[in-house]
Amino acid sequence: MDKYKTKMTINKWFSYISLETLSESSRQTISQFNRYSKKLTFKKVLKLFLYAINDETDSLRHLDQQLVNPKL
């Protein structure tokens, strides 16, 4: 799968996720996560995990290797 189809697939999956309709405690947890991390927001983490699912990545270590060296 090329990068454009992957990007479209992830954006389509993410469009079905409505973070605004979550419970108040979930939204507070997400805001605490975003407050704690500076560059890696909850939405970015969610998209990263959707990419890993789409690419059928075996582990977080393998995902890290893929991000560092995209030829893997």
Side-chain angles (χ1 to χ4, degrees):
M1 188 176 282
D2 62 8
K3 68 178 182 177
Y4 297 110
K5 287 185 181 177
T6 302
K7 186 175 180 180
M8 289 172 41
T9 301
I10 292 171
N11 286 336
K12 185 175 181 179
W13 287 345
F14 196 73
S15 69
Y16 291 114
I17 300 171
S18 177
L19 298 177
E20 292 77 27
T21 59
L22 294 174
S23 67
E24 184 64 32
S25 63
S26 298
R27 285 185 282 173
Q28 287 177 353
T29 304
I30 291 171
S31 68
Q32 289 174 358
F33 179 87
N34 288 337
R35 192 176 316 131
Y36 176 74
S37 61
K38 298 292 181 187
K39 296 181 181 179
L40 196 61
T41 63
F42 182 76
K43 287 184 180 182
K44 290 180 184 179
V45 170
L46 196 56
K47 287 182 180 182
L48 183 64
F49 285 146
L50 288 174
Y51 170 78
I53 291 169
N54 186 50
D55 199 42
E56 297 179 0
T57 305
D58 295 331
S59 65
L60 289 175
R61 193 170 286 145
H62 188 246
L63 178 63
D64 178 48
Q65 291 171 354
Q66 284 180 321
L67 295 175
V68 172
N69 188 3
K71 293 180 183 179
L72 290 177

